[in-house]
RNA sequence: GCGCCCGUAGCUCAGCCGGAUAGAGCGACUGGCUUCGAACCAGUAGGCCGGGGGUUCGAGUCCCUCCGGGCGCGCCA
């Protein structure tokens, strides 16, 4: 509704300015600095002042007196030296919300939006850095869907890369295990933890025995050829770890639609097709001299911002093998349906909620939906890979797919590092240098990091202590479920509260906190609203007929209270908050909104006893406001992927 | 060397397309539990928005420059 009035007002003013001043201005609306100034502020007179060479105050005065009426607006006021402040008709506004609580503004862009996230190497347990990626990606997906878009969630699996190969080397060459033995191990719990340690071991082994890298090359070769024990081990490891990752992410409510795998990209020769295309369109050329002699390269000028003498990027090595970026270009072409090839698919599994997840396959099995061929693609990848993402987009452009290039977005985010204090807690030895830093980078090779499942377990345990002390009478299983929701809410909120380009220095003490700006704070507020309604029913009461009791006049009476009005206004801005977060691509904005909303309600909750209210109209109003708040906060939390526990 | 990001309260961070007196959480200090359960609320202290130039009626926000920090820049993935 807020949104609606805002839009109506903007177009009314734009039309008036065109007619009366013969000028065009981009009408922007702002939130007034103080609530007492009204609901919206328009700096339009300042913009026009320059064009018209007239003082802003005079322009504002003309706008104020001449403007046609806009429904829902009761007054325009001039403030400062030319601000036009807008006051809403409170009774009208409140009533409109009773009639239509949720906005009908939703209309997504046409076509399918592809969001690729998670993309963890399937060779070891997921860590907190991966959590940031998956939570950001998943929340962005929920935001887009809330904005009415059709979204496909992809999670790319590099099951043939060096990282998988290294773990295979560990099993085969260091431990001398057969595929059958590894398969047995993979069936046991926490295989991903086992591989975490093994990967760190083999990485350090390479350091001491450089000649052992020969094993890696041999393994990579076997995996690519798809033959022999080493290839079989590769499949066993990668498949089992993918299962672990899916399970970890499901704990946070994160699901995928399709898992395209590198093994199928190789087998179905995606690269060969892309290579022909790149050559044909002259996006790459065969270098005949200099350091890149014998390689197929992309001109540096195609992607680099260094205008002096940008380095060319090798796409195909002089030995004929393709680089990572080359494969990525082929994959990105597929995402837009521009490669002229597709995967086959098989159903990997169905989630408990019934949602199916498909995985790429060499032969078709089952009737899969049409994957890929998106109108837009968002790649959720950390900012360290921005250079490579630029090359991929330049590749699309060079091939002539301007449109695809423009619709490719690197949804980047900064890394998650560890606070020095947390490193100490983890028993890691820090150098003098590290100790002074504000954060220390995680390293999979060194096994340095916080595993996702460990963190979730720790959060649940911490939450359970609180739940147990508050609700000792509740069944143990139920308490555990409540603690789980609190824990995952805390974790998701923690990862979302920072804007994307801020480095997170992960700190246990901070992440395990349930007070202040945290997920549980917001959940608690929703629980309180629910409690009011539940208590009402427990006492034999029923919800009043809001449509009958809360007439426009009644609303106007109740909303004379500044406290009620401000809360109502804040709640009614959910749509605006969602839209703003989608437009800015910043889930943190929505998280912040949820927090502020919770704050407003908590203060209201403290001040006013809803059920004890004796005046029937006022009581009905308070109940309606409480329920309206509850529904809008729950909707917002749902988009953040945060569930509300039954009690706290 | 080149490129990208960051620098705002003691700490961690917000600050929407440039707009009115720069905000929140934590920490510190004062108060508030007779249950719609305090995982909360009310209040106090705390800021040269890294420095310096510029553009503008107006700059935390845009431009230039310097300082400090992070991350990239391979015929690795």
């Amino acid at each position: 509704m807020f949104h609606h009035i805002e839009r109506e007002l903007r177009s009314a003013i734009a039309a008036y300015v065109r007619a009366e001043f013969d000028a065009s201005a981009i009408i922007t609306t702002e939130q007034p600095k103080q609530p007492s100034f009204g609901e919206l502020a328009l700096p339009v007179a300042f913009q026009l002042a320059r064009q018209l060479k007239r003082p802003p105050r005079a322009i504002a005065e003309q706008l104020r007196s001449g403007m046609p009426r806009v429904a829902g607006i009761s007054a325009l006021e001039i403030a400062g030296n030319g601000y036009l402040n807008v006051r809403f008709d409170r009774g009208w506004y409140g009533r409109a919300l009773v009639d239509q609580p949720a906005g009908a503004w939703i209309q997504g862009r046409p076509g399918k939006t592809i969001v690729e996230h998670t993309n963890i190497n399937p060779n070891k347990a997921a860590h907190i850095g991966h959590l940031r990626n998956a939570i950001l990606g998943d929340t962005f997906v929920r935001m887009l869907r809330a904005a009415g878009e059709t979204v496909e969630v992809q999670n790319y699996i590099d099951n043939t890369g060096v990282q998988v190969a290294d773990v295979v080397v560990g099993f085969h060459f260091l431990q001398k295990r057969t595929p059958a033995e590894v398969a047995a191990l993979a069936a046991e719990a926490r295989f991903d933890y086992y591989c975490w340690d093994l990967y760190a071991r083999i990485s350090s082994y390479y350091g001491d025995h450089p000649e052992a890298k020969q094993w890696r090359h041999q393994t990579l070769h076997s995996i690519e050829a798809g033959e022999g024990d080493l290839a079989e081990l590769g499949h066993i490891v990668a498949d089992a770890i993918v299962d672990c990752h899916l399970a970890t992410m499901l704990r946070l409510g994160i699901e995928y639609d399709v898992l395209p795998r590198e093994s199928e990209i190789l087998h179905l020769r995606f690269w060969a097709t892309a290579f022909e295309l790149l050559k044909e369109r002259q996006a790459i050329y065969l270098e005949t001299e200099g350091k890149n002699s014998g390689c197929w390269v992309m001109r540096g000028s195609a992607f680099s911002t260094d205008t002096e003498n940008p380095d060319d990027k090798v796409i195909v090595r002089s030995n004929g093998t393709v680089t990572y970026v080359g494969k990525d270009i082929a994959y990105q072409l597929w995402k837009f349906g521009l490669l002229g090839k597709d995967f086959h698919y098989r159903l990997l599994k169905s989630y408990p909620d019934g949602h199916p997840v498909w995985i790429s396959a060499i032969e078709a099995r089952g009737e899969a939906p049409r994957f890929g061929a998106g109108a837009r693609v968002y790649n959720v990848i950390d900012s360290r890979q921005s250079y490579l993402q630029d090359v991929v987009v330049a590749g699309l452009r060079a091939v002539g797919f301007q449109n695809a290039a423009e619709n490719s977005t690197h949804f980047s985010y900064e890394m998650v590092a560890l606070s020095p204090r947390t490193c100490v807690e983890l028993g890691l030895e820090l150098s003098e240098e590290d100790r002074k830093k504000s954060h220390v980078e995680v390293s999979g090779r060194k096994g340095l990091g916080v595993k996702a499942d460990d963190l979730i377990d720790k959060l649940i345990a911490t939450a359970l202590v609180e739940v147990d002390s508050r609700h000792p009478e509740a069944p143990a299983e139920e308490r555990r479920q409540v603690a789980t929701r609190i824990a995952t809410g805390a974790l998701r909120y923690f990862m979302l509260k920072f804007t994307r380009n801020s480095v997170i220095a992960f700190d246990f003490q901070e992440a395990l906190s349930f007070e202040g700006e945290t997920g549980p704070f917001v959940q608690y507020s929703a629980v309180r609203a629910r409690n009011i309604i539940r208590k009402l029913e427990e006492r034999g009461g029923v919800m009043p007929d809001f449509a009958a009791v809360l007439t426009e006049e009644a609303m106007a009476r109740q909303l004379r209270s500044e406290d009620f009005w401000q809360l109502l206004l804040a709640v009614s801005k959910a749509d605006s908050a969602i839209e703003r977060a989608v437009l800015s691509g910043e889930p943190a904005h929505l998280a912040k909104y949820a927090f502020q909303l919770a704050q407003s309600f908590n203060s209201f909750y403290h001040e006013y006893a809803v059920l004890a209210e004796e005046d029937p109209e006022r009581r009905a109003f308070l109940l309606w406001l409480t329920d309206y708040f509850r529904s809008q906060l729950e909707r917002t939390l749902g988009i953040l992927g945060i569930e509300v526990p039954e009690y706290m």
Side-chain angles (χ1 to χ4, degrees):
Chain A
M1 193 51 58
F2 187 85
H3 213 63
H4 174 77
I5 295 185
E6 195 175 14
R7 215 174 334 177
E8 295 284 304
L9 181 71
R10 276 187 203 172
S11 62
I13 291 192
Y16 184 78
V17 166
R18 228 175 298 123
E20 290 297 310
F21 299 102
D22 191 30
S24 66
I26 299 158
I27 311 300
T28 56
T29 48
E30 293 166 16
Q31 174 132 317
K33 201 73 196 162
Q34 301 216 351
S36 62
F37 292 166
E39 283 67 66
L40 281 173
L42 296 153
V44 62
F46 296 113
Q47 290 172 22
L48 289 172
R50 189 167 341 163
Q51 280 186 57
L52 304 173
K53 304 214 187 312
R54 287 175 53 195
R57 231 191 132 86
I59 296 169
E61 178 54 43
Q62 189 177 343
L63 280 167
R64 193 191 65 78
S65 54
M67 269 285 295
R69 277 187 55 88
V70 175
I73 288 172
S74 65
L76 294 174
E77 291 165 10
I78 295 167
N81 43 356
Y83 267 100
L84 206 54
N85 288 336
V86 181
R87 288 189 191 281
F88 287 6
D89 180 333
R90 298 183 179 189
W92 185 94
Y93 193 77
R95 178 64 205 190
L97 291 172
V98 172
D99 290 334
Q100 196 195 25
W105 56 283
I106 291 171
Q107 193 176 12
R109 295 169 292 187
K112 180 164 72 181
T113 301
I114 290 173
V115 177
E116 179 196 64
H117 66 77
T118 306
N119 297 12
I120 313 173
N121 271 303
N123 77 321
K124 61 179 180 305
H127 59 64
I128 48 174
H130 301 127
L131 286 180
R132 187 176 195 186
N133 181 304
I135 291 171
L136 268 175
D138 181 65
T139 305
F140 188 55
V141 167
R142 290 165 188 260
M143 283 162 52
L144 291 174
R145 286 182 174 151
E149 287 195 18
T150 305
V151 184
E152 177 176 302
V153 187
Q154 302 184 354
N155 173 9
Y156 163 80
I157 310 292
D158 183 7
N159 59 345
T160 66
V162 174
Q163 295 215 16
V164 169
D166 281 346
V167 170
V168 169
V169 167
F171 280 126
H172 183 84
F173 294 98
L174 283 188
Q175 302 190 336
K176 315 240 180 269
R177 292 196 200 239
T178 65
E181 286 165 356
V182 175
L185 198 60
E188 286 175 26
R190 304 223 149 167
F191 178 62
D192 55 343
Y193 278 45
Y194 187 90
C195 291
W196 174 286
D197 294 333
L198 183 57
Y199 181 58
R201 238 185 91 195
I202 186 69
S203 293
S204 79
Y205 188 88
Y206 286 143
D208 301 335
H209 310 80
E211 71 284 359
K213 291 231 172 147
Q214 182 48 39
W215 295 341
R216 175 193 275 175
H217 293 129
Q218 188 186 337
T219 304
L220 274 171
H221 188 76
S222 300
I223 288 175
E224 275 204 35
E227 285 166 7
D229 277 8
L230 291 171
E232 195 183 342
L233 280 170
H235 271 297
I236 292 166
V237 169
D239 290 354
I241 300 287
V242 165
D243 280 346
C244 293
H245 291 165
L246 292 185
T248 300
M249 295 308 168
L250 187 60
R251 298 179 81 183
L252 302 171
I254 299 169
E255 298 181 349
Y256 309 90
D257 296 317
V258 62
L259 314 179
R261 292 189 295 190
E262 185 63 25
S263 52
E264 274 72 39
I265 290 179
L266 289 176
H267 191 267
L268 297 166
R269 300 177 54 79
F270 274 27
W271 166 245
T273 307
F275 190 27
E276 288 310 311
L277 197 60
L278 287 163
K279 282 192 287 193
E280 187 188 306
R281 307 281 176 96
Q282 297 180 348
I284 57 176
Y285 72 102
L286 186 61
E287 180 63 83
T288 53
E289 54 189 29
K291 58 174 183 172
N292 293 335
S293 183
C295 299
W296 286 87
V297 305
M298 190 185 293
R299 294 257 185 233
S301 56
F303 54 86
S304 180
T305 45
D306 179 2
T307 46
E308 291 293 305
N309 52 350
D311 282 338
D312 294 343
K313 177 66 194 170
V314 172
I315 304 297
V316 179
R317 302 177 189 109
S318 54
N319 68 6
T321 57
V322 59
T323 59
Y324 172 79
V325 198
K327 285 189 272 190
D328 233 25
I329 291 171
Y331 180 40
Q332 189 79 356
L333 284 167
W334 169 79
K335 288 181 194 165
F336 281 103
L338 296 172
L339 187 67
K341 270 191 173 176
D342 196 4
F343 295 101
H344 296 298
Y345 305 93
R346 70 180 165 83
L347 182 67
L348 180 64
K349 66 174 206 166
S350 286
Y351 289 108
D353 67 1
H355 183 90
V357 53
W358 295 77
I359 190 163
S360 61
I362 289 165
E363 289 172 358
R365 239 181 292 166
E367 196 70 19
R370 174 82 205 271
F371 294 117
R376 286 164 296 281
V377 173
Y378 291 90
N379 294 324
V380 182
I381 302 176
D382 81 84
S383 60
R384 284 175 289 193
Q385 298 204 44
S386 60
Y387 162 73
L388 296 171
Q389 284 288 302
D390 288 346
V391 175
V392 169
V393 171
L396 296 184
R397 193 168 283 125
V399 178
F401 296 127
Q402 193 66 29
N403 206 35
E406 277 162 20
N407 286 299
S408 297
T409 304
H410 175 200
F411 196 88
S412 72
Y413 62 93
E414 275 291 347
M415 62 172 173
V416 181
L418 301 173
S419 76
R421 184 170 62 180
T422 288
C423 287
V424 172
E425 278 178 59
L426 291 169
L428 303 164
E429 286 188 25
L430 292 179
S431 62
E432 263 316 298
E433 210 181 331
D434 283 342
R435 221 180 291 271
K436 276 182 267 176
K437 289 183 181 174
S438 62
H439 54 82
V440 180
E441 197 174 345
V442 301
S443 163
R445 287 183 195 285
K446 293 182 196 157
L448 168 54
V450 177
K451 296 185 197 75
D453 282 313
D454 281 349
L455 175 59
I456 298 169
D457 290 345
K458 208 161 173 170
L459 281 159
I460 292 173
T462 308
L464 196 55
V465 171
E466 297 293 323
V467 176
D468 286 348
S469 74
R470 286 156 214 240
H471 304 277
E473 77 295 343
E477 188 46 43
E478 195 180 277
R479 287 200 307 259
R480 175 140 193 105
Q481 201 214 351
V482 168
T484 302
R485 287 195 174 184
I486 292 168
T488 55
L491 180 51
R492 288 193 65 124
Y493 193 94
F494 180 80
M495 287 297 179
L496 293 172
K497 71 193 277 194
F498 304 94
T499 48
R500 289 186 294 144
N501 58 12
S502 157
V503 176
I504 297 180
F506 179 86
D507 185 83
F508 266 119
Q509 195 170 311
E510 219 183 303
L512 290 171
S513 163
F514 298 152
E515 287 165 18
E517 194 188 344
T518 66
F521 175 97
V522 185
Q523 289 172 316
Y524 188 55
S525 179
V527 166
R528 287 173 135 185
R530 279 185 180 182
N531 280 348
I532 293 173
I533 294 156
R534 206 190 54 227
K535 272 273 152 48
L536 170 78
E537 284 159 2
E538 276 173 15
R539 293 173 189 177
V542 286
M543 290 289 254
D545 180 357
F546 296 132
V549 181
L550 299 174
T551 61
E552 189 170 328
E553 294 71 28
M555 277 294 188
R557 274 191 294 277
Q558 298 307 324
L559 290 169
R560 272 201 282 269
S561 154
E562 200 57 30
D563 286 354
F564 299 166
W565 174 241
Q566 290 304 331
L567 177 59
L568 176 67
L569 201 59
V571 177
S572 73
K573 285 182 183 172
D575 288 339
S576 299
I578 295 164
E579 189 190 43
R580 188 166 69 88
V582 169
L583 287 177
S584 61
E586 204 55 91
H589 290 163
L590 196 59
K592 184 70 87 180
Y593 168 75
F595 171 66
Q596 284 166 349
L597 200 54
Q599 263 185 326
S600 303
F601 183 77
N602 279 348
S603 149
F604 161 85
Y605 178 93
H606 187 258
E607 187 93 6
Y608 303 95
V610 175
L611 296 179
E613 177 56 49
E614 288 179 0
D615 178 68
E617 180 183 289
R618 190 177 170 97
R619 186 164 186 268
F621 170 78
L622 294 176
L623 280 169
W624 173 79
L625 185 53
T626 299
D627 197 48
Y628 179 49
F629 160 78
R630 182 202 54 74
S631 72
Q632 293 303 94
L633 182 63
E634 282 179 10
R635 185 162 77 102
T636 305
L637 282 174
I639 295 169
L640 297 173
I642 296 174
E643 292 181 302
V644 180
E646 285 308 306
Y647 51 82
M648 284 180 76

